[in-house]
Amino acid sequence: MKKFLFILILSISLFSFFSCSSKDDSDKLIMDLKDQVYWSECTAWARPSQAEHQNFHKFITKGRGNIFKTVGKEQEYIWLRIFFYPPEELKDKTLGLFISYLHFADKVWVNGVHVGGYGSFPPKMWSSLWNSHLYTIPAPLIKKDDQNIILIKVYNKGRSGISDNIKLGEIDRTKSLSLHHSFFQGVAYLFAAGGMFFTAILFLLIFIWRKKEREYLSFSLLCIASLIFTTPFYANNIPFFQSGIISYLLFIKLVLCQSFFLMVFLVSGLIIEFIKQRETKFIRDLRVAILVFCSVATLSMPTFESLEKLTFLMLFLSVFQLSLGFIFVIKADKNEKEKKDLRDLMMAFIPLFLAIPADFIIKGFFQKVDTPYITLFGWLITVLNFLIIMSIRYNSAVAQNEYLNIKLRREVIKQTKELSEKNQTLEEELQRSATDLEMASLVQKKFFPYPPHSLRGWDIAVSYNPLDKVSGDMYDFYMEDEILKGFSLFDVSGHGIAASLVTMLAKNIVFQSFMRNMRKKESVSRTLYEINDEIIEAKGEIENYLTGIMFRFGNFDENEECLVEMANAGHPNPILYSAKSNICDELDCPEDEDHHGAIGLDFITVSFPQINFTMAEDDILLFYTDGLSEGRNKKGEMFGKERIKHILKENYAKSAQSIMEDLIDAYQNFTKDSKRDDDITVVVMKRENSANYIEELDEV
């Protein structure tokens, strides 16, 4: 309540101060000429000498837009004529003619001599805006005992008018009037603009520091938009504004119109952010659409008149834009915090709510055209209120953070002490877990045998490299009397403990299925189907699945060739090197064969067609899990199948172990700057002459 009363008293005091008038008006050395004004039509080329022959009519200086109302918008130029006889006190002094407001542009002559002007006539027209007008009349120009004629040529554009505050007096007194009036009509806005600029920078820096608080960014941009909007009220105090760089029409479009639309858009958004409401996408898009439409519509207007015709529509859309923000005020849940935010919001807008009706009364009812726009000052005070409220909120947030930091430090000290007491127990548990995991790794490695050194007709090498202590890769050899009958390699989805447990479950199922179907002379394709059914039943709700590849090897014939049967369940295709043709090829199903699916997924159908091929002496079969081919370097490039083929072809003459080592070395060099993310198992199987095996046995 105290904050409300303070803002109310401040607003009323400032309005009273801004609307006060100079007490020098009654000074006896100041002549009031408002009742001595006459008018007559003229053209753009009319000279002061021609005005002597025209008929002049009495001009009523009271009211807003009185020139426009008197002559209409079709008449672009008029003469205003003022007669005066200097009193005895002013006859030998330099005089000043003060007019508090004259719009659009003018040129002034005294007794036929040009003494000044404000604004510019076409073609480079420029308004005098809200500047007060002061013209110096040297003493020699004044007729001491005769009638003096002041002739003002006015360019009538828009709501042109002249105030009834027309004074003639000693130059020092009229300068004082002009300075007093110019301060509240221009310089005061310049000071306010400087304040808003520094406020905008301050809150922009706060937003950069606290990126989640978008209201600080909105408020910063709002200050910039307000600064630009007030520019026309002090533009004539800045020399380069009338340099002719841009036209007056473009100046109004950019500085007055665009900044106003942006201000309304930002105020609407700030209201939503201030009370911590979430703006819907529809409302946000609608607000942006209104902003874009208003901006494009005004920028596309070719003339000042067409721009004026849009005024009502633009104001209506701006009010609608503003109402979209206040909708969220109505929708707010009204809890205690939101009630406080709403009270702060309403208090911030009090000066603006008071200023708008004040301007309607002063400029509408009393028709005072030369008084400052109270609404502008009301808006500046509203911005100041937001600055105060948001600064208080920011300081409160900082204080609360400091309190929480102190509390957090105390809590951290307390928790650290408790953790320290429990640290020894935790370390023992971690040590036990590490030991258990190491044991699990040893068990799993023992579970997957390395190939025997003496297998008739085969030179075999295996590289088994888990990502963690335990792996989701598994392989197995199937033999009878040291004769290799088959081999399988499977890769469980995922890695780590969960995947390793599935390998332990699956290994026995795979072994039993292979041996059973080999004795029954069933195909390896049929074997994979059975493995799929049994694993689905055995693992139950476990989500892991397997990809795998299975081989069955036939007996060697007199040409040292053997038949190989293979079936693939979603695994990377193996690579076969043919010594006879010196070619590396992937072993894949023919295009007309339907091949899809993995093992352990009960919700999809699978197809594991069989492939038959022969291997002769020095042929090499290489297969691997996808951790090898899909390994990436620092640039994100994959190791890929082509590199694997190239290494195999370059090293075919070496032993299986050497080929495997060269392949692993190439992989590690390729991926040395990146982190591995999967298990890797590589198997190299090279055919040898089976007769050598018999000779070795004889020697033994």
Side-chain angles (χ1 to χ4, degrees), residues 261-278:
F261 302 144
L262 183 59
M263 281 170 58
V264 174
F265 174 80
L266 292 171
V267 169
S268 179
L270 181 61
I271 290 171
I272 299 170
E273 293 161 3
F274 190 86
I275 59 176
K276 309 300 183 186
Q277 294 293 305
R278 179 171 293 182

Side-chain angles (χ1 to χ4, degrees), residues 193-210:
M196 285 189 290
F197 174 75
F198 288 109
T199 301
I201 297 299
L202 171 64
F203 277 87
L204 179 61
L205 293 175
I206 293 175
F207 167 74
I208 292 172
W209 185 51
R210 296 170 61 89

Side-chain angles (χ1 to χ4, degrees), residues 172-188:
D172 291 340
R173 301 301 180 96
T174 50
K175 276 185 178 178
S176 177
L177 286 175
S178 180
L179 286 172
H180 176 274
H181 191 273
S182 295
F183 177 81
F184 291 109
Q185 287 285 55
V187 179

Side-chain angles (χ1 to χ4, degrees), residues 406-620:
I406 293 171
K407 187 175 180 181
L408 179 61
R409 277 198 298 270
R410 292 173 179 170
E411 186 66 24
V412 167
I413 293 171
K414 178 183 175 182
Q415 293 294 334
T416 302
K417 184 177 179 181
E418 292 178 359
L419 287 173
S420 179
E421 293 171 354
K422 296 178 181 178
N423 188 50
Q424 186 175 358
T425 303
L426 181 61
E427 286 182 357
E428 292 174 358
E429 291 177 357
L430 288 174
Q431 185 63 40
R432 278 199 300 273
S433 298
T435 303
D436 291 345
L437 190 60
E438 188 68 35
M439 185 61 68
S441 174
L442 292 173
V443 170
Q444 189 182 41
K445 287 179 180 178
K446 293 291 183 182
F447 208 59
F448 302 141
Y450 198 80
H453 291 291
S454 54
L455 281 174
R456 180 183 177 189
W458 293 100
D459 178 18
I460 301 175
V462 176
S463 173
Y464 173 69
N465 192 359
L467 178 65
D468 300 315
K469 291 288 185 181
V470 290
S471 170
D473 292 353
M474 73 172 202
Y475 62 90
D476 204 358
F477 296 89
Y478 311 108
M479 297 169 292
E480 283 186 351
D481 301 327
E482 297 186 342
I483 296 176
L484 182 65
K485 292 296 183 179
F487 182 85
S488 66
L489 174 63
F490 287 87
D491 183 4
V492 180
S493 62
H495 48 77
I497 295 176
S500 70
L501 292 175
V502 176
T503 64
M504 307 291 274
L505 168 71
K507 185 176 185 300
N508 187 57
I509 293 174
V510 173
F511 179 82
Q512 295 294 336
S513 295
F514 181 90
M515 299 305 291
R516 181 174 60 251
N517 282 292
M518 183 181 69
R519 288 190 291 269
K520 293 167 59 178
K521 296 184 179 181
E522 294 283 357
S523 67
V524 289
S525 175
R526 176 64 187 167
T527 304
L528 284 184
Y529 286 122
E530 288 186 6
I531 291 170
N532 181 47
D533 293 338
E534 290 183 30
I535 286 181
I536 288 174
E537 182 178 355
K539 74 184 184 71
E541 299 298 322
I542 298 174
E543 295 181 356
N544 299 75
Y545 62 91
L546 299 85
T547 63
I549 193 166
M550 180 172 282
F551 300 91
R552 185 185 293 162
F553 303 105
N555 296 324
F556 303 120
D557 61 16
E558 65 276 6
N559 296 321
E560 284 299 320
E561 293 183 349
C562 69
L563 177 66
V564 183
E565 301 172 8
M566 181 194 86
N568 192 340
H571 200 77
N573 294 324
I575 297 172
L576 176 66
Y577 170 76
S578 171
K580 182 178 181 181
S581 61
N582 193 28
I583 293 175
C584 283
D585 274 329
E586 287 187 55
L587 294 173
D588 198 1
C589 294
E591 292 183 359
D592 57 348
E593 289 277 3
D594 189 16
H595 177 208
H596 59 268
I599 291 173
L601 298 173
D602 60 350
F603 52 85
I604 62 171
T605 57
V606 295
S607 176
F608 309 134
Q610 182 165 303
I611 301 172
N612 298 329
F613 60 95
T614 60
M615 289 186 67
E617 186 176 352
D618 292 328
D619 287 353
I620 302 171

